[in-house]
C-alpha cells in the first residue's frame, strides 16, 4: 500500500512525531552525538552554508569536520527551536515545516551568549509508518561570535 492510498493517520499524531524529530535534531547537536545525527538524517539531504550533503556517513562526517567539541564531548551549545509551523499531507505521507533556531553557547571563559539565529526549512516523508527527515535546509541570518563553535571560524580568528 503506498502513502497515497494508505488511509490518513491522526493529524495531531503526525504533527507531534514531526515536532519530536525537530527537537531530536537539536538534542543530538547539543549532545555532540554526530553518529546520532547521521542516523536521524540518514534518508535526508542537509544543506547549510556549504554544499548539500546526503546519507548517514556524509552527514556525520560533515558535523565532525565543522563543529568544535569540548572535553565534555559537546559543542557547549543549546539550540532553541521556536515558531514551528508544520503542514502535513496525510494522504501523500509528506510534510514540510519551517522554524526559527537560536543557538546559545557558554564556556568557562565565555559568558552565555547568542552565537547565531536562523531558520530551518524541512521536508519529511512517512515511510513504513514512521516520519523521517528527507531534507533539512539551514539558513543562518544573524551571526555572532562563532570562533568557539565552528572549526573554520576558529582557524580564521
Amino acid at each position: 500500500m503506498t502513502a497515497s492510498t494508505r488511509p490518513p493517520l491522526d493529524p495531531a499524531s503526525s504533527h507531534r512525531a514531526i515536532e519530536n524529530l525537530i527537537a531530536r535534531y537539536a538534542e543530538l547537536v547539543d549532545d555532540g552525538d554526530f553518529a546520532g545525527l547521521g542516523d536521524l538524517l540518514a534518508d535526508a539531504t542537509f544543506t547549510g552554508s556549504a554544499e548539500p550533503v546526503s546519507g548517514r556517513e556524509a552527514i556525520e562526517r560533515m558535523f565532525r569536520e565543522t563543529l568544535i567539541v569540548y572535553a565534555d564531548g559537546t559543542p557547549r551549545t543549546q539550540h532553541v527551536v521556536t515558531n514551528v509551523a508544520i503542514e502535513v499531507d496525510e494522504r501523500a505521507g509528506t510534510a514540510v515545516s519551517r522554524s526559527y533556531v537560536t543557538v546559545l553557547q557558554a564556556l568557562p571563559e565565555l559568558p552565555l551568549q547568542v552565537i547565531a539565529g536562523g531558520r530551518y526549512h524541512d521536508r519529511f516523508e512517512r515511510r513504513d509508518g514512521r516520519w523521517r527527515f528527507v531534507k533539512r535546509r539551514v539558513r543562518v541570518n544573524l551571526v555572532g561570535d562563532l570562533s568557539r563553535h565552528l572549526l573554520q571560524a576558529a582557524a580564521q580568528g
Side-chain angles (χ1 to χ4, degrees), residues 73-88:
T74 76
R76 306 281 303 167
T77 56
Q78 292 292 300
H79 285 66
V80 180
V81 182
T82 59
N83 300 14
V84 178
I86 300 170
E87 300 169 23
V88 177

Side-chain angles (χ1 to χ4, degrees), residues 34-47:
F34 304 142
L37 283 165
D39 289 341
L40 182 71
L41 300 171
D43 299 320
T45 297
F46 180 95
T47 306

Side-chain angles (χ1 to χ4, degrees), residues 41-47 52-55 59 133-137:
L41 300 171
D43 299 320
T45 297
F46 180 95
T47 306
V53 191
S54 298
I59 289 171
F133 279 96
V134 292
K135 185 174 187 179
R136 168 152 273 199
R137 182 169 47 104

Side-chain angles (χ1 to χ4, degrees), residues 2-154:
T2 67
S4 60
T5 60
R6 187 177 306 129
L9 298 176
D10 173 28
S13 174
S14 292
H15 276 79
R16 177 60 65 201
I18 290 166
E19 287 174 338
N20 287 343
L21 288 172
I22 293 167
R24 185 71 181 137
Y25 172 89
E27 291 171 347
L28 291 167
V29 173
D30 293 336
D31 288 345
D33 185 349
F34 304 142
L37 283 165
D39 289 341
L40 182 71
L41 300 171
D43 299 320
T45 297
F46 180 95
T47 306
S49 60
E51 291 296 313
V53 191
S54 298
R56 177 180 286 113
E57 293 81 15
I59 289 171
E60 178 181 348
R61 182 174 48 256
M62 183 267 310
F63 279 99
R64 287 190 191 286
E65 293 174 354
T66 303
L67 301 182
I68 297 171
V69 176
Y70 292 89
D72 68 354
T74 76
R76 306 281 303 167
T77 56
Q78 292 292 300
H79 285 66
V80 180
V81 182
T82 59
N83 300 14
V84 178
I86 300 170
E87 300 169 23
V88 177
D89 182 336
E90 288 290 348
R91 291 200 182 279
T94 61
V96 295
S97 75
R98 300 171 313 283
S99 54
Y100 284 36
V101 60
T102 303
V103 184
L104 305 164
Q105 187 178 39
L107 295 161
E109 71 282 1
L110 177 74
L112 179 65
Q113 61 185 276
V114 175
I115 61 169
R119 305 275 311 261
Y120 293 142
H121 296 269
D122 300 315
R123 291 189 182 280
F124 303 88
E125 288 182 4
R126 187 175 50 229
R127 295 184 192 157
D128 301 321
R130 294 184 54 201
W131 286 101
R132 48 187 96 207
F133 279 96
V134 292
K135 185 174 187 179
R136 168 152 273 199
R137 182 169 47 104
V138 180
R139 296 180 63 190
V140 175
N141 48 18
L142 300 174
V143 178
D145 181 356
L146 296 175
S147 65
R148 293 175 186 91
H149 181 54
L150 300 178
L151 289 165
Q152 182 179 15

